[in-house]
Amino acid sequence: LTITLQKYSKFRSVAMTRYAVSFENGEENIAKSRGSHLRVHYKHCREITHFLKGMPVKKAQAYLERVLKFEAVIPFVKFTGGIGRKAMAKNINAPGSIGRFPVKAVGVVKDLLTNAAANAESKGLDVDDLIIAHAQCNRAPAGRRRTYRAHGRIGKYASQPAHIELILSAKKAPVEKAPEEPRKITKKAAAKKRFVKVGGAP
């Protein structure tokens, strides 16, 4: 069934987008990258993107390189069933020191991050000033295969792929604190300030 926007008026105002978020300032100061139906574990990708969100691009790329060399660990904070503890997870304050080295998923996310950085350079943006403003992983439709069980039965043998999207943007400048106005104090509070305690128990 094909739905045309001209025929059905209730669909005319729907703005279709391939990314989960949109920025108020437009597309000039951001760079995007996404991958669909990636053959890597969804749960691994979710933990990686959750950890990288808000991190500077150069720092994230260096960290993923260290993970591939087993010199750093990805903390697991949501999908923690059966995940072992790692001593180096204490360096990043991972809850319960739980973490892993999801090498295949890290390699895919690293490639997407490199692609987003290249897109930023093509737009004339300075990669050194960019952070990962948005990192999201969604569950893709399962890849369905079969495995053969005892007594002639067939069991499912499904993969759990992922959709990943990254958006880079410049870090927002800090907002200056407004000057504090002098606070009015009551007569009672002023009297307490003038009061000096003499003698007695401390």
Side-chain angles (χ1 to χ4, degrees):
L1 177 63
T2 303
I3 298 176
T4 58
L5 300 183
Q6 290 78 11
K7 186 175 181 180
Y8 296 92
S9 59
K10 67 178 181 177
F11 292 108
R12 287 180 186 172
S13 61
V14 177
M16 300 300 291
T17 177
R18 297 185 64 181
Y19 287 82
V21 297
S22 59
F23 287 77
E24 297 176 355
N25 300 331
E27 304 285 325
E28 293 80 14
N29 299 322
I30 64 173
K32 298 178 178 180
S33 180
R34 73 190 304 272
S36 299
H37 303 279
L38 301 173
R39 192 66 183 275
V40 282
H41 291 322
Y42 157 73
K43 294 183 179 181
H44 291 176
C45 294
R46 186 269 166 196
E47 300 293 354
I48 297 168
T49 53
H50 177 75
F51 177 67
L52 295 181
K53 187 175 180 181
M55 190 179 291
V57 174
K58 292 293 186 181
K59 181 180 178 181
Q61 288 176 325
Y63 193 89
L64 294 179
E65 280 286 352
R66 294 179 59 212
V67 173
L68 294 176
K69 298 176 183 177
F70 297 91
E71 296 173 356
V73 69
I74 297 294
F76 277 55
V77 296
K78 182 175 182 179
F79 301 107
T80 56
I83 308 296
R85 293 181 291 129
K86 301 288 185 295
M88 65 177 66
K90 297 177 183 177
N91 298 333
I92 50 177
N93 298 322
S97 300
I98 297 175
R100 269 188 178 176
F101 310 98
V103 173
K104 184 177 178 181
V106 165
V108 170
V109 174
K110 180 175 172 291
D111 289 343
L112 285 174
L113 188 57
T114 302
N115 180 245
N119 293 339
E121 289 180 351
S122 67
K123 282 188 169 185
L125 303 176
D126 188 1
V127 179
D128 294 331
D129 296 334
L130 298 180
I131 64 170
I132 302 175
H134 172 72
Q136 180 173 311
C137 176
N138 294 331
R139 194 187 297 269
R144 303 184 186 280
R145 291 181 291 167
R146 60 171 58 179
T147 184
Y148 300 93
R149 312 300 300 273
H151 310 294
R153 293 175 299 160
I154 290 178
K156 72 171 186 176
Y157 207 72
S159 62
Q160 301 296 331
H163 306 311
I164 304 174
E165 60 184 49
L166 302 174
I167 299 180
L168 313 181
S169 69
K171 190 174 183 180
K172 293 182 179 179
V175 180
E176 293 185 3
K177 188 177 180 181
E180 293 185 1
E181 298 180 359
R183 294 177 57 189
K184 294 181 179 180
I185 60 174
T186 62
K187 291 182 179 179
K188 186 175 182 181
K192 282 185 177 181
K193 284 189 175 183
R194 292 194 301 268
F195 178 74
V196 178
K197 188 173 183 180
V198 180

